[in-house]
Each structure stands twice: as structure tokens, then as C-alpha cells.
Amino acid sequence: MSGNLKKSVVNTGFMYGKMVVSMVTTFVGTRIVLEQLGAEDFGLYNLIAGITAMLGFFRSSLSTSNQRYLSLALGAEDNKRLQEVFNSSKVLHLVLSISLIVALEVVGIYLIYYKLDIPPNSTELALIIFQFLIFDIAFSITSIPYSALISSHEDIHVIAILYTLDAIGKFAVALLLIFIQSNQLIVYAAGLTVTFTLSRMALQLYCKHKYKNLSYKFVFRGNKGLMKEIFFFTGYSSFGAISDLVRTQGIGVVLNLFFGVLINAAYALVLQINGQLRFFASSLMMTLNPQIIKAEGSGDRVKMLELALQSTKFSFFILSFVSIPIYWQLPNILDIWLKDVPKYTLELARLIIIQALIYQLTSGIHTAINSIGNIKKYQIISSFIYLMTLPLGYFTLKAGYGVSSILYISIAIEIIVFCFRIQYLNKLSHFPIVDFLKKTFRYTLLPVITATIIIIGFYKSISELNQYLAITVAFVISSLTSITSIYFIGLGKDEQSLLIKQFNLFYAKYTGI
């Protein structure tokens, strides 16, 4: 157990390091690219990139499906099955990438020539950029089996390092534009493609070097039954991802119908905040998911459920650790970040933080259900429940309720999905619902509630400080109270002992004492 914990901590640390580098390089790099390309060329690139960006959810579902089947084989210690899954995945992804190239060429060229508002003198340029982007997405799909293989072996720190280098490479491409004055947009698109390709090739080389128990020769004949199974699993996962995308973007459309485009500025900022918060929690889940699926693959259902609950608890702690001070200091953060804060941003952002916390309470259960594999009914019902946010929100706003009412509806829907998930897992595995609810309150919610109450006591004195100092003090106080309450209330005796043991080992290793 301690080995798994150590690996999870290391992987999570690398993921957070990657996030910091990506945020900084993206923030600075975007400004450089905008200055060098100009608003028109910058807008043209992002317009064309938007055609392929919509396939992001599909790539994510493919990665999740591949990782599941590879982790199950590793958990069962069945090398023959692992090889079969890997070979079948490569064949499936090659077929999918070729199909997407054909589909994108037809649809993309039609959109560029007949639908998108592109200046006539930029049409040829748009087509060139589009070819680079098609290559990127096709190559990324054929690389998924390799990244999934690394994830299933829990070597996620390798992916974090390579993606960090990819972010630095993209930043280098942005700097290159300063020294090149002609064909800048083509140079930019080509540079991003080269950087992207090198990072994906590095994934493949790492797999061949590290996992020598597998053969990497391409076998054109995969297991048709297995490919079909992976494809349908991906399809149902994609269905869930699409419904989440439709709900998230649909809320913006519904708000627009009643309050105009100004509300969309506020909602777009809220989605950015939500995306960053979810990344903090999902980074830990990404490191723990392979362990959960491996436990199921080994036939140890009890261990699988235990790991799923632990991942839920600790990912909730991580999210609350960040979201509590942000919720508390959001007015100051928004003022510093934006200066001119769009109306309704504050109240919508606070509600989206609450929604994210509720979602995290069953994140591990979602992984447990995926591990067992019976997801058709689960994805259809949960997607239907999520999509009910839009009609209910529409009629609520039409009835004259305020802007935030649609997010109150969304929070209520999240609670309903919470109930559905634990009930569905109970049907699949006799999951103890009452025991789960008791432990969730005692070991997950109670320490966070305690920390929040203590923090509220400091609110008045901190509010008198200047904005920068107030944010700093709030994060320090929140960190100390959260760590203390989580340790004494949220951790059991075994977890406390394990944490102290790991800390002592770490201290001895780096101090020599």
C-alpha cells in the first residue's frame, strides 16, 4: 500500500508541476503569438483549430477505454491478454484515424469554402493550416494506445514530463515568431505540429524501451470481438462526455436567451475557474484510476471499492483545499485578475465551485462503475439526468427567477446524479450505501466543514487588509486549518500512521538524518 501511495504522490506532484508550466507558458505565449500574428491571423488559426478541437472529448474517451482494458489485463497478470489488447487497440486507432482524416477533409473543406466567414485572400492559408491540424489529430489518435499503456503502468510522471516539454516547445515556437517576419502563421502551425509529433514519438520510444515484455510489431489482424468491445465502450463514454459538454455549453445558450451576450462573458470566466479547479482534483484521480481498475482485473472487488472510496476522499480534500480560499477571496481575486469584472461573475463562480465539490464526492464511484464495465445503462441514464438541467433551467428563468437559478438547478441535478451513482454501484457490486454515506460525512465532509467554520471566524479581520495581503493570509489560514482538520478528523489511525511513516522516510532521505 505504501508503494502505491508513494507512486501516487510522485505522479500527482509531476502533474501539478506540468500544470504550472503549461499555465505560465500558455499565458505568456498567447500574448506573444497575438502580438506577432495580429488579431486577424490569430483569429483565423483558432477558427480552423475549432473544427478539430470538438473531437477532444472523443480522444479522451478513447484514452479512458484503452487504459481500462490494459489495466484489467495488468491486474490479472495476463501478459497474453495485455498483448492482445495492445495489438487490437493499435489496429482500431489506425482505422479510426484514417476514417477521421477522410471525414475531416470532406467536412473541413466544405466549411472553409462555403460556411465559415474567411476573407477570400486567406482561404488557401486556412487550408494549409487545416492540413497541419488534421495530421495532429490523426497522429494523436494513433498514439493513444502508447499513452494508455504508460498510464496503466502508473508511470504518469513520464507523461507529465513529456507534456511539459511539449508546452515548453510550444512556447519556443511562439518566441520563434519574433525572429521570422514572413509566413508567420504557416511557421506557427508547422512548429506546433513538429513539437506535438516529437512528444508523441517520445511516448512510443519510452514504451518500447520500458515495457519490453510486449511486442511492438504492427499486426494488421486484431481481435475483432475485442475491438468491437473497446469501440462500444468508447462510444458510451463519449455519449456521457457529449452530454456533459452539451449541458455546460447549453447553460450559456439558455442564459444568453434571457440576458444577452454580457452574461456570456461572466459565464465564460466561470467555466475557466471550474476547469482549473477540476484539474486539481482530476490529477489525483488520474494517478489512482489504474490502481482501481487493476484491483478489479485481479478479481479483488473489495480492494477495488476501497481504492475507489479513498480516491474520492482525497480528491475531494485536494479540491476543497484549493476551492475554500478561492470561494472566500473570490471578490479580491476577480478584481486583481480582471479589474472590470462582468456582472454576475461572482455569484455564478461561487455556485460552480459548490457544484464541482458535489461532483467530486462520487468521482471514485464513477471509476468503479467503469472498472466493472457495465456502463451502457449508466451512461444513458446519468446523461439524461444531466441534460434535464437545460429545460428545467429554461423554464425557471422564464418564470422570472434570477440569473443564478439555473446553476441552483444544476447543483440539484448533481445531487440527483450523486444518488443515482451510489445506487447503480450497489446494483453492480452490493455497494454498502448507508456505510458509504456515514463515512462520507464523518471522514470527508466533516473535516472540510470544520475548516470552513474556523476560516469564517477570520473573515472580518482579513477583509480589512489590502487585496494582495488578504488573499495571501486567507490561503495560509485556509491551508493550516484544512491540513489540521483533515489529519485529525478526515484520516483514520492507519492512514495517520502511514502518512507519518512516509513523511519520516522522506525527511530521512533528503536530510540524511
Side-chain angles (χ1 to χ4, degrees):
M1 186 67 184
S2 59
N4 288 339
L5 176 62
K6 183 179 180 180
K7 182 170 279 192
S8 297
V9 170
V10 170
N11 284 333
T12 303
F14 272 97
M15 287 299 294
Y16 288 148
K18 173 244 177 190
M19 183 198 69
V20 171
V21 174
S22 295
M23 286 177 62
V24 172
T25 54
T26 300
F27 179 78
V28 180
T30 300
R31 181 172 179 175
I32 294 172
V33 172
L34 180 59
E35 288 176 353
Q36 295 301 314
L37 295 182
E40 185 174 325
D41 278 358
F42 182 75
L44 177 63
Y45 180 85
N46 284 281
L47 174 65
I48 303 304
I51 299 174
T52 57
M54 292 183 290
L55 294 169
F57 70 87
F58 183 60
R59 282 182 293 178
S60 177
S61 298
L62 280 170
S63 181
T64 300
S65 301
N66 275 265
Q67 185 182 318
R68 175 187 181 270
Y69 284 92
L70 290 167
S71 295
L72 286 173
L74 285 169
E77 298 182 355
D78 188 343
N79 197 64
K80 183 180 178 181
R81 176 68 172 178
L82 182 66
Q83 184 72 64
E84 188 178 38
V85 171
F86 186 65
N87 288 342
S88 298
S89 294
K90 288 196 294 182
V91 174
L92 176 62
H93 286 74
L94 178 63
V95 172
L96 288 173
S97 64
I98 293 172
S99 302
L100 279 173
I101 288 173
V102 174
L104 285 171
E105 288 288 2
V106 174
V107 175
I109 290 173
Y110 171 76
L111 290 173
I112 289 171
Y113 273 110
Y114 300 106
K115 292 297 179 182
L116 298 178
D117 186 11
I118 298 173
N121 62 334
S122 298
T123 302
E124 185 177 344
L125 184 59
L127 287 171
I128 294 172
I129 295 167
F130 190 56
Q131 300 310 309
F132 282 118
L133 292 168
I134 287 177
F135 177 84
D136 290 350
I137 194 166
F139 194 69
S140 71
I141 288 175
T142 57
S143 300
I144 284 173
Y146 295 91
S147 61
L149 185 64
I150 294 174
S151 295
S152 61
H153 279 90
E154 301 176 55
D155 292 325
I156 296 167
H157 63 283
V158 175
I159 295 177
I161 292 170
L162 292 176
Y163 286 8
T164 300
L165 293 175
D166 179 60
I168 295 171
K170 290 177 181 177
F171 182 68
V173 173
L175 292 176
L176 182 63
L177 296 178
I178 298 174
F179 305 99
I180 295 176
Q181 300 303 317
S182 61
N183 298 318
Q184 284 183 309
L185 189 52
I186 293 176
V187 170
Y188 179 64
L192 293 184
T193 296
V194 170
T195 302
F196 178 86
T197 303
L198 290 174
S199 66
R200 272 30 179 206
M201 288 176 66
L203 286 176
Q204 298 182 20
L205 291 172
Y206 178 83
C207 288
K208 292 176 181 178
H209 173 74
K210 180 71 183 259
Y211 314 123
K212 295 181 179 178
N213 59 316
L214 289 176
S215 171
Y216 295 90
K217 292 181 180 179
F218 193 87
V219 180
F220 285 95
R221 294 183 64 183
N223 184 321
K224 291 182 180 179
L226 181 58
M227 286 193 290
K228 182 179 178 182
E229 189 178 338
I230 295 174
F231 181 77
F232 277 102
F233 189 93
T234 301
Y236 291 124
S237 297
S238 297
F239 184 75
I242 292 170
S243 68
D244 184 57
L245 180 66
V246 170
R247 178 185 68 144
T248 303
Q249 300 302 324
I251 288 174
V253 174
V254 173
L255 287 170
N256 176 266
L257 293 175
F258 291 91
F259 302 100
V261 293
L262 291 179
I263 192 65
N264 292 111
Y267 187 65
L269 293 167
V270 167
L271 289 183
Q272 287 188 42
I273 295 170
N274 184 50
Q276 294 301 321
L277 288 176
R278 277 201 172 188
F279 180 84
F280 268 87
S282 64
S283 293
L284 178 62
M285 289 301 303
M286 184 177 177
T287 65
L288 292 174
N289 283 347
Q291 294 180 27
I292 297 170
I293 301 170
K294 283 179 183 177
E296 178 65 19
S298 67
D300 194 342
R301 180 67 57 83
V302 174
K303 181 182 178 182
M304 184 274 285
L305 292 174
E306 179 186 341
L307 287 170
L309 295 182
Q310 285 182 342
S311 68
T312 294
K313 181 170 76 170
F314 288 110
S315 63
F316 181 82
F317 285 160
I318 286 177
L319 183 58
S320 62
F321 188 84
V322 177
S323 61
I324 289 174
I326 289 177
Y327 186 98
W328 183 16
Q329 286 297 310
L330 203 52
N332 287 333
I333 292 171
L334 290 174
D335 281 340
I336 293 171
W337 179 28
L338 302 172
K339 293 185 179 180
D340 185 15
V341 182
K343 191 178 181 182
Y344 303 118
T345 303
L346 177 61
E347 58 184 293
L348 293 178
R350 281 179 164 167
L351 290 173
I352 212 78
I353 290 172
I354 294 171
Q355 179 183 303
L357 286 167
I358 296 171
Y359 167 82
Q360 210 59 44
L361 286 172
T362 54
S363 55
I365 289 176
H366 175 75
T367 303
I369 293 171
N370 280 337
S371 301
I372 295 171
N374 189 2
I375 67 167
K376 178 180 178 181
K377 185 178 179 181
Y378 166 71
Q379 289 289 6
I380 291 173
I381 294 176
S382 61
S383 296
F384 175 78
I385 296 172
Y386 272 133
L387 291 175
M388 286 302 295
T389 304
L390 302 181
L392 291 174
Y394 175 85
F395 288 118
T396 301
L397 292 172
K398 194 172 180 62
Y401 290 91
V403 169
S404 57
S405 62
I406 192 169
L407 283 185
Y408 281 110
I409 294 289
S410 188
I411 289 172
I413 292 292
E414 199 68 66
I415 293 171
I416 294 171
V417 173
F418 170 96
C419 297
F420 169 69
R421 279 183 179 146
I422 59 176
Q423 184 270 340
Y424 192 82
L425 184 58
N426 173 262
K427 280 190 174 182
L428 291 179
S429 63
H430 304 292
F431 178 67
I433 295 177
V434 175
D435 187 53
F436 166 74
L437 293 175
K438 287 180 179 178
K439 287 182 177 179
T440 297
F441 178 77
R442 167 65 180 83
Y443 293 106
T444 305
L445 288 176
L446 189 58
V448 174
I449 292 171
T450 303
T452 304
I453 291 172
I454 295 172
I455 290 167
I456 290 173
F458 290 92
Y459 181 80
K460 186 176 180 180
S461 56
I462 290 179
S463 62
E464 297 173 357
L465 302 174
N466 69 65
Q467 289 180 321
Y468 291 96
L469 186 59
I471 293 172
T472 303
V473 172
F475 269 85
V476 171
I477 292 174
S478 178
S479 299
L480 293 174
T481 53
S482 294
I483 290 171
T484 303
S485 61
I486 287 171
Y487 179 80
F488 288 104
I489 303 174
L491 301 183
K493 290 183 178 179
D494 291 343
E495 291 171 325
Q496 290 177 348
S497 299
L498 181 60
L499 187 64
I500 292 172
K501 181 181 177 181
Q502 291 299 314
F503 177 79
N504 289 335
L505 288 173
F506 178 84
Y507 183 78
K509 180 178 179 180
Y510 290 99
T511 61
I513 299 175

